[in-house]
């Protein structure tokens, strides 16, 4: 199998789905001639032509709205937003139309589209270029929210997202685009949506993360491995969450650490902590730990090292939970 980074794996997933299904189209700012702001769509315009790889104006609401119309009329659009901080202009279209079209029409119309975008800090790009506001989309019934953590995961999850009959928000960790390479199969490869991945089995503490936090968690687990046996869960899909896997792991270890790079207040980690408290309170042997960004705007590049989640912070939380 070829070695790919996440950029190459996402490009392969889009190319193979466009070859397999003539209704799959790609649209967004600079996705055609320039191959995308991070070159994820490089080569697709030459292969499939301007009718299926469409450069759009600088208009995120228009990209989302046109994609919804395409999806309702038989196409499977992949819409690219250049950075998560620009996606807020799509919220009206995604919340008021994409997310509720199936319910509004009693199943007569669905919106099989993917809204892709890079998210997160770690590359010293300030403000709108480093946002991690996945909770905004997770709060909307009718939207699935998917986050890959490795190149292999990215190919399988994006392929499944393109084939899904309903709208999917596909969040790509910017920091992981070219961080590592791994073997990625050519041809058919899917990962089911809504199913978490056990990255590592353990018995003392459950550590949950997704996207760019998974490599940071693995480093933290290495730091604490001599004294704590950690079980690591990669959620893969933030909405709907695989509660069965989350609760089973907490029942097994009795301790939970949740890690995300979004601000702490009202984040996905808060929802996980609340559900675990509701369903597994008597299994818990220590307070739930959350390791998150502070409740501030992403700082200028010089401040990012103080803002971003380090393996040492996660390791401290693991040890606190284990020793409680």
């Amino acid at each position: 199998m070829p070695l790919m980074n996440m950029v190459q794996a996402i490009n392969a997933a889009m190319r193979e789905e466009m070859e397999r299904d003539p209704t799959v189209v790609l649209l967004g700012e600079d996705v055609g001639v320039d191959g995308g702001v991070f070159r994820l769509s490089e080569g697709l315009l030459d292969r499939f032509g301007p009718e299926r790889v469409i450069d759009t104006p600088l208009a995120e609401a228009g990209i989302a709205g046109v994609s919804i119309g395409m999806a309702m009329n038989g196409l499977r659009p992949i819409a690219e937003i250049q950075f998560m901080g620009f996606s807020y202009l799509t919220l009206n279209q995604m919340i008021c139309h994409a997310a509720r079209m199936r319910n509004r029409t009693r199943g007569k119309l669905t919106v099989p589209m993917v809204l892709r975008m890079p998210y997160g800090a770690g590359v010293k790009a300030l403000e709108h270029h480093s946002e991690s506001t996945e909770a905004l989309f997770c709060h909307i019934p009718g939207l699935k929210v998917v986050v890959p953590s490795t190149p292999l995961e990215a190919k399988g999850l994006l392929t499944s997202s393109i084939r899904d009959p309903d709208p999917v928000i596909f969040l790509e960790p910017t920091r992981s685009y070219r961080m590592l390479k791994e073997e990625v199969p050519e041809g058919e490869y899917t990962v089911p949506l809504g199913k978490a991945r056990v990255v590592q089995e353990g018995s003392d503490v459950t550590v949950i993360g997704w996207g760019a936090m998974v490599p940071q968690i693995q480093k933290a687990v290495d730091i604490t491995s001599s004294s704590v046996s950690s079980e690591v869960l990669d959620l893969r899909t933030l909405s709907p969450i695989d509660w069965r896997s989350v609760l089973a792991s907490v029942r097994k270890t009795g301790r939970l650490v949740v890690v995300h790079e979004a601000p702490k207040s009202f984040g996905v980690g808060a929802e996980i902590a609340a559900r675990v408290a509701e369903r597994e309170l008597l299994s818990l042997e220590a307070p739930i730990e959350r390791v998150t960004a502070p409740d501030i705007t992403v700082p200028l590049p010089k401040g990012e090292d103080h803002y971003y989640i380090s393996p040492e912070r996660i390791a401290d939380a693991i040890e606190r939970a284990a020793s409680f």
Side-chain angles (χ1 to χ4, degrees):
M1 287 189 286
L3 288 174
M4 296 186 190
N5 60 30
M6 190 176 288
V7 168
Q8 294 165 324
I10 289 172
N11 180 284
M14 293 192 293
R15 174 174 45 79
E16 290 176 13
E17 284 305 286
M18 293 180 79
E19 288 171 345
R20 185 189 66 81
D21 182 351
T23 69
V24 177
V25 297
L26 172 66
L27 67 159
E29 298 157 8
D30 298 329
V31 300
V33 174
D34 290 341
V37 65
F38 288 101
R39 305 296 180 263
L40 276 88
S41 54
E42 201 162 48
L44 299 184
L45 176 64
D46 292 339
R47 195 176 188 94
F48 299 104
E51 291 188 351
R52 295 184 65 193
V53 181
I54 305 163
D55 275 322
T56 69
L58 190 66
E60 286 79 7
I63 294 169
V66 167
S67 297
I68 293 168
M70 286 177 163
M72 291 168 60
N73 285 280
L75 298 179
R76 287 185 176 268
I78 307 168
E80 178 177 298
I81 302 298
Q82 289 194 338
F83 292 93
M84 191 170 200
F86 305 156
S87 71
Y88 312 138
L89 295 165
T90 73
L91 286 177
N92 182 57
Q93 295 286 357
M94 298 307 294
I95 294 171
C96 296
H97 301 297
R100 62 185 68 198
M101 192 59 64
R102 178 184 287 277
N103 183 65
R104 177 181 292 158
T105 64
R106 299 298 184 262
K108 292 180 181 177
L109 292 173
T110 61
V111 182
M113 65 172 284
V114 177
L115 191 69
R116 286 183 37 243
M117 66 195 81
Y119 85 96
V123 293
K124 299 192 185 303
L126 71 164
E127 283 231 359
H128 298 295
H129 302 83
S130 295
E131 305 270 297
S132 182
T133 48
E134 61 273 13
L136 291 175
F137 292 105
C138 292
H139 194 62
I140 307 304
L143 296 182
K144 295 185 178 73
V145 181
V146 176
V147 189
S149 60
T150 73
L152 180 64
E153 292 285 303
K155 181 175 182 187
L157 288 167
L158 181 56
T159 300
S160 295
S161 299
I162 295 169
R163 297 181 185 182
D164 197 86
D166 291 301
V168 175
I169 308 296
F170 194 82
L171 304 179
E172 301 158 4
T174 314
R175 191 170 186 266
S176 302
Y177 268 156
R178 293 178 171 85
M179 177 187 289
L180 64 90
K181 287 189 173 184
E182 66 178 347
E183 290 187 339
V184 177
E186 295 179 303
E188 180 81 8
Y189 181 69
T190 59
V191 172
L193 305 187
K195 179 65 178 172
R197 175 173 67 109
V198 179
V199 179
Q200 172 181 318
E201 293 192 356
S203 57
D204 296 333
V205 179
T206 297
V207 188
I208 294 176
W210 52 88
M213 289 297 97
V214 173
Q216 301 294 83
I217 291 171
Q218 290 175 294
K219 291 176 184 175
V221 167
D222 289 341
I223 293 171
T224 58
S225 61
S226 62
S227 58
V228 183
S229 171
S230 296
E231 179 150 295
V232 180
L233 287 188
D234 173 6
L235 281 188
R236 289 174 163 164
T237 303
L238 302 185
S239 181
I241 286 179
D242 180 3
W243 292 114
R244 183 186 298 272
S245 295
V246 170
L247 297 174
S249 182
V250 172
R251 203 177 302 128
K252 172 182 170 184
T253 66
R255 297 174 174 83
L256 174 61
V257 176
V258 185
V259 184
H260 62 64
E261 62 177 291
K264 186 171 190 173
S265 297
F266 311 104
V268 174
E271 178 63 25
I272 294 171
R275 292 287 186 104
V276 169
E278 288 172 353
R279 300 286 297 277
E280 293 296 336
L281 180 63
L282 298 181
S283 298
L284 289 172
E285 299 181 28
I288 297 168
E289 294 273 353
R290 283 185 287 163
V291 184
T292 72
D295 292 342
I296 61 171
T297 303
V298 179
L300 297 172
K302 286 184 178 179
E304 191 181 79
D305 290 340
H306 303 285
Y307 173 90
Y308 203 68
I309 311 299
S310 68
E312 289 74 22
R313 280 188 59 199
I314 303 170
D316 288 345
I318 292 172
E319 289 177 344
R320 278 196 305 274
S323 61
F324 182 81

